[in-house]
mmCIF file of all heavy atoms in Angstrom:
data_model
loop_
_atom_site.group_PDB
_atom_site.id
_atom_site.type_symbol
_atom_site.label_atom_id
_atom_site.label_comp_id
_atom_site.label_asym_id
_atom_site.label_seq_id
_atom_site.Cartn_x
_atom_site.Cartn_y
_atom_site.Cartn_z
ATOM 1 N N TRP A 270 -9.766 12.505 -4.099
ATOM 2 C CA TRP A 270 -11.140 12.657 -4.587
ATOM 3 C C TRP A 270 -11.453 14.029 -5.194
ATOM 4 O O TRP A 270 -12.181 14.094 -6.178
ATOM 5 C CB TRP A 270 -12.132 12.299 -3.470
ATOM 6 C CG TRP A 270 -12.702 10.893 -3.522
ATOM 7 C CD1 TRP A 270 -13.991 10.553 -3.235
ATOM 8 C CD2 TRP A 270 -12.047 9.660 -3.848
ATOM 9 N NE1 TRP A 270 -14.168 9.189 -3.374
ATOM 10 C CE2 TRP A 270 -13.000 8.620 -3.754
ATOM 11 C CE3 TRP A 270 -10.754 9.323 -4.239
ATOM 12 C CZ2 TRP A 270 -12.689 7.285 -4.028
ATOM 13 C CZ3 TRP A 270 -10.444 7.994 -4.502
ATOM 14 C CH2 TRP A 270 -11.407 7.004 -4.391
ATOM 15 N N PRO A 271 -10.910 15.123 -4.640
ATOM 16 C CA PRO A 271 -11.233 16.424 -5.261
ATOM 17 C C PRO A 271 -10.715 16.554 -6.695
ATOM 18 O O PRO A 271 -11.152 17.440 -7.428
ATOM 19 C CB PRO A 271 -10.532 17.443 -4.349
ATOM 20 C CG PRO A 271 -10.315 16.737 -3.058
ATOM 21 C CD PRO A 271 -10.122 15.289 -3.421
ATOM 22 N N HIS A 272 -9.797 15.668 -7.109
ATOM 23 C CA HIS A 272 -9.186 15.800 -8.439
ATOM 24 C C HIS A 272 -9.666 14.739 -9.415
ATOM 25 O O HIS A 272 -9.117 14.612 -10.509
ATOM 26 C CB HIS A 272 -7.657 15.705 -8.304
ATOM 27 C CG HIS A 272 -7.103 16.573 -7.216
ATOM 28 N ND1 HIS A 272 -7.134 17.944 -7.285
ATOM 29 C CD2 HIS A 272 -6.547 16.264 -6.012
ATOM 30 C CE1 HIS A 272 -6.601 18.438 -6.180
ATOM 31 N NE2 HIS A 272 -6.246 17.452 -5.395
ATOM 32 N N LEU A 273 -10.650 13.942 -9.030
ATOM 33 C CA LEU A 273 -11.101 12.845 -9.899
ATOM 34 C C LEU A 273 -11.618 13.376 -11.230
ATOM 35 O O LEU A 273 -12.332 14.380 -11.271
ATOM 36 C CB LEU A 273 -12.212 12.047 -9.213
ATOM 37 C CG LEU A 273 -11.820 11.236 -7.978
ATOM 38 C CD1 LEU A 273 -13.064 10.571 -7.372
ATOM 39 C CD2 LEU A 273 -10.766 10.197 -8.309
ATOM 40 N N PRO A 274 -11.272 12.709 -12.354
ATOM 41 C CA PRO A 274 -11.812 13.105 -13.667
ATOM 42 C C PRO A 274 -13.258 12.629 -13.775
ATOM 43 O O PRO A 274 -13.506 11.447 -13.968
ATOM 44 C CB PRO A 274 -10.892 12.382 -14.648
ATOM 45 C CG PRO A 274 -10.321 11.233 -13.889
ATOM 46 C CD PRO A 274 -10.359 11.574 -12.434
ATOM 47 N N ILE A 275 -14.199 13.549 -13.653
ATOM 48 C CA ILE A 275 -15.595 13.119 -13.571
ATOM 49 C C ILE A 275 -16.253 12.962 -14.936
ATOM 50 O O ILE A 275 -17.251 12.281 -15.062
ATOM 51 C CB ILE A 275 -16.438 14.081 -12.680
ATOM 52 C CG1 ILE A 275 -16.398 15.503 -13.232
ATOM 53 C CG2 ILE A 275 -15.935 14.060 -11.253
ATOM 54 C CD1 ILE A 275 -17.338 16.429 -12.484
ATOM 55 N N GLU A 276 -15.674 13.569 -15.982
ATOM 56 C CA GLU A 276 -16.278 13.471 -17.314
ATOM 57 C C GLU A 276 -15.686 12.285 -18.080
ATOM 58 O O GLU A 276 -14.498 11.988 -17.954
ATOM 59 C CB GLU A 276 -15.996 14.750 -18.120
ATOM 60 C CG GLU A 276 -16.507 16.018 -17.486
ATOM 61 C CD GLU A 276 -18.031 16.079 -17.443
ATOM 62 O OE1 GLU A 276 -18.684 15.356 -18.238
ATOM 63 O OE2 GLU A 276 -18.567 16.821 -16.616
ATOM 64 N N PRO A 277 -16.514 11.622 -18.931
ATOM 65 C CA PRO A 277 -15.999 10.524 -19.754
ATOM 66 C C PRO A 277 -14.794 10.970 -20.586
ATOM 67 O O PRO A 277 -14.812 12.062 -21.162
ATOM 68 C CB PRO A 277 -17.173 10.175 -20.667
ATOM 69 C CG PRO A 277 -18.382 10.627 -19.907
ATOM 70 C CD PRO A 277 -17.954 11.833 -19.126
ATOM 71 N N ASP A 278 -13.765 10.160 -20.622
ATOM 72 C CA ASP A 278 -12.519 10.382 -21.366
ATOM 73 C C ASP A 278 -11.648 11.507 -20.802
ATOM 74 O O ASP A 278 -10.614 11.838 -21.391
ATOM 75 C CB ASP A 278 -12.784 10.644 -22.861
ATOM 76 C CG ASP A 278 -13.494 9.476 -23.524
ATOM 77 O OD1 ASP A 278 -13.097 8.329 -23.253
ATOM 78 O OD2 ASP A 278 -14.449 9.711 -24.287
ATOM 79 N N GLN A 279 -12.065 12.086 -19.704
ATOM 80 C CA GLN A 279 -11.261 13.153 -19.088
ATOM 81 C C GLN A 279 -10.028 12.554 -18.422
ATOM 82 O O GLN A 279 -10.076 11.451 -17.869
ATOM 83 C CB GLN A 279 -12.106 13.889 -18.050
ATOM 84 C CG GLN A 279 -11.440 15.121 -17.462
ATOM 85 C CD GLN A 279 -12.252 15.725 -16.310
ATOM 86 O OE1 GLN A 279 -13.419 15.403 -16.123
ATOM 87 N NE2 GLN A 279 -11.609 16.575 -15.538
ATOM 88 N N THR A 280 -8.907 13.258 -18.506
ATOM 89 C CA THR A 280 -7.719 12.859 -17.762
ATOM 90 C C THR A 280 -7.416 13.926 -16.729
ATOM 91 O O THR A 280 -7.856 15.073 -16.861
ATOM 92 C CB THR A 280 -6.491 12.694 -18.679
ATOM 93 O OG1 THR A 280 -6.317 13.904 -19.402
ATOM 94 C CG2 THR A 280 -6.656 11.539 -19.637
ATOM 95 N N SER A 281 -6.694 13.536 -15.704
ATOM 96 C CA SER A 281 -6.334 14.485 -14.657
ATOM 97 C C SER A 281 -4.918 14.157 -14.206
ATOM 98 O O SER A 281 -4.648 13.076 -13.708
ATOM 99 C CB SER A 281 -7.329 14.365 -13.502
ATOM 100 O OG SER A 281 -6.952 15.192 -12.436
ATOM 101 N N ARG A 282 -3.991 15.061 -14.466
ATOM 102 C CA ARG A 282 -2.596 14.871 -14.053
ATOM 103 C C ARG A 282 -2.290 15.870 -12.962
ATOM 104 O O ARG A 282 -2.445 17.063 -13.172
ATOM 105 C CB ARG A 282 -1.651 15.117 -15.222
ATOM 106 C CG ARG A 282 -1.636 14.022 -16.226
ATOM 107 C CD ARG A 282 -0.967 14.468 -17.518
ATOM 108 N NE ARG A 282 -1.629 13.862 -18.660
ATOM 109 C CZ ARG A 282 -1.373 12.640 -19.107
ATOM 110 N NH1 ARG A 282 -0.465 11.915 -18.511
ATOM 111 N NH2 ARG A 282 -2.025 12.152 -20.124
ATOM 112 N N ARG A 283 -1.885 15.384 -11.810
ATOM 113 C CA ARG A 283 -1.616 16.280 -10.700
ATOM 114 C C ARG A 283 -0.239 15.976 -10.138
ATOM 115 O O ARG A 283 -0.108 15.218 -9.184
ATOM 116 C CB ARG A 283 -2.681 16.097 -9.611
ATOM 117 C CG ARG A 283 -4.078 16.454 -10.040
ATOM 118 C CD ARG A 283 -4.217 17.923 -10.316
ATOM 119 N NE ARG A 283 -3.807 18.721 -9.186
ATOM 120 C CZ ARG A 283 -4.454 19.800 -8.763
ATOM 121 N NH1 ARG A 283 -5.543 20.216 -9.397
ATOM 122 N NH2 ARG A 283 -4.017 20.482 -7.733
ATOM 123 N N PRO A 284 0.812 16.570 -10.723
ATOM 124 C CA PRO A 284 2.152 16.306 -10.196
ATOM 125 C C PRO A 284 2.308 16.730 -8.738
ATOM 126 O O PRO A 284 3.172 16.216 -8.027
ATOM 127 C CB PRO A 284 3.070 17.135 -11.102
ATOM 128 C CG PRO A 284 2.205 17.908 -12.019
ATOM 129 C CD PRO A 284 0.784 17.465 -11.850
ATOM 130 N N ASP A 285 1.427 17.630 -8.285
ATOM 131 C CA ASP A 285 1.539 18.110 -6.912
ATOM 132 C C ASP A 285 0.848 17.188 -5.907
ATOM 133 O O ASP A 285 1.066 17.303 -4.705
ATOM 134 C CB ASP A 285 0.925 19.517 -6.805
ATOM 135 C CG ASP A 285 -0.506 19.554 -7.332
ATOM 136 O OD1 ASP A 285 -0.777 18.868 -8.343
ATOM 137 O OD2 ASP A 285 -1.347 20.232 -6.728
ATOM 138 N N VAL A 286 -0.006 16.273 -6.393
ATOM 139 C CA VAL A 286 -0.697 15.360 -5.476
ATOM 140 C C VAL A 286 -0.023 14.000 -5.570
ATOM 141 O O VAL A 286 -0.107 13.316 -6.576
ATOM 142 C CB VAL A 286 -2.194 15.227 -5.833
ATOM 143 C CG1 VAL A 286 -2.894 14.300 -4.846
ATOM 144 C CG2 VAL A 286 -2.857 16.587 -5.861
ATOM 145 N N LYS A 287 0.687 13.617 -4.505
ATOM 146 C CA LYS A 287 1.434 12.361 -4.527
ATOM 147 C C LYS A 287 0.825 11.379 -3.532
ATOM 148 O O LYS A 287 0.409 11.773 -2.439
ATOM 149 C CB LYS A 287 2.892 12.609 -4.168
ATOM 150 C CG LYS A 287 3.630 13.457 -5.200
ATOM 151 C CD LYS A 287 5.131 13.428 -4.929
ATOM 152 C CE LYS A 287 5.934 13.988 -6.087
ATOM 153 N NZ LYS A 287 5.902 15.449 -6.152
ATOM 154 N N ILE A 288 0.786 10.116 -3.931
ATOM 155 C CA ILE A 288 0.233 9.104 -3.033
ATOM 156 C C ILE A 288 1.108 7.857 -3.049
ATOM 157 O O ILE A 288 1.939 7.667 -3.930
ATOM 158 C CB ILE A 288 -1.186 8.667 -3.456
ATOM 159 C CG1 ILE A 288 -1.200 8.202 -4.910
ATOM 160 C CG2 ILE A 288 -2.196 9.762 -3.241
ATOM 161 C CD1 ILE A 288 -2.172 7.099 -5.131
ATOM 162 N N ASN A 289 0.892 6.995 -2.064
ATOM 163 C CA ASN A 289 1.477 5.663 -2.078
ATOM 164 C C ASN A 289 0.307 4.683 -2.147
ATOM 165 O O ASN A 289 -0.561 4.692 -1.272
ATOM 166 C CB ASN A 289 2.303 5.419 -0.817
ATOM 167 C CG ASN A 289 3.104 4.125 -0.928
ATOM 168 O OD1 ASN A 289 2.709 3.200 -1.624
ATOM 169 N ND2 ASN A 289 4.232 4.076 -0.238
ATOM 170 N N ALA A 290 0.284 3.851 -3.193
ATOM 171 C CA ALA A 290 -0.825 2.905 -3.370
ATOM 172 C C ALA A 290 -0.994 2.000 -2.146
ATOM 173 O O ALA A 290 -2.080 1.499 -1.886
ATOM 174 C CB ALA A 290 -0.595 2.050 -4.617
ATOM 175 N N ARG A 291 0.087 1.822 -1.386
ATOM 176 C CA ARG A 291 0.021 0.989 -0.173
ATOM 177 C C ARG A 291 -0.987 1.549 0.826
ATOM 178 O O ARG A 291 -1.535 0.815 1.643
ATOM 179 C CB ARG A 291 1.420 0.905 0.461
ATOM 180 C CG ARG A 291 1.534 -0.091 1.598
ATOM 181 C CD ARG A 291 1.433 -1.508 1.070
ATOM 182 N NE ARG A 291 1.417 -2.538 2.116
ATOM 183 C CZ ARG A 291 0.346 -2.879 2.826
ATOM 184 N NH1 ARG A 291 -0.795 -2.239 2.667
ATOM 185 N NH2 ARG A 291 0.409 -3.866 3.713
ATOM 186 N N ASP A 292 -1.244 2.871 0.744
ATOM 187 C CA ASP A 292 -2.175 3.491 1.683
ATOM 188 C C ASP A 292 -3.620 3.052 1.459
ATOM 189 O O ASP A 292 -4.497 3.362 2.263
ATOM 190 C CB ASP A 292 -2.089 5.026 1.585
ATOM 191 C CG ASP A 292 -0.747 5.536 2.078
ATOM 192 O OD1 ASP A 292 -0.074 4.803 2.838
ATOM 193 O OD2 ASP A 292 -0.360 6.656 1.695
ATOM 194 N N PHE A 293 -3.880 2.367 0.349
ATOM 195 C CA PHE A 293 -5.228 1.848 0.105
ATOM 196 C C PHE A 293 -5.349 0.374 0.516
ATOM 197 O O PHE A 293 -6.361 -0.251 0.260
ATOM 198 C CB PHE A 293 -5.585 1.967 -1.387
ATOM 199 C CG PHE A 293 -5.798 3.383 -1.842
ATOM 200 C CD1 PHE A 293 -4.929 3.969 -2.749
ATOM 201 C CD2 PHE A 293 -6.868 4.124 -1.374
ATOM 202 C CE1 PHE A 293 -5.132 5.275 -3.182
ATOM 203 C CE2 PHE A 293 -7.071 5.418 -1.799
ATOM 204 C CZ PHE A 293 -6.199 6.002 -2.696
#
Side-chain angles (χ1 to χ4, degrees):
W270 262 219
H272 312 293
L273 292 177
I275 59 173
E276 301 293 339
D278 300 317
Q279 187 187 345
T280 55
S281 176
R282 285 165 216 277
R283 297 293 305 222
D285 54 322
V286 181
K287 294 191 167 77
I288 54 146
N289 189 332
R291 189 70 185 80
D292 293 339
F293 290 114

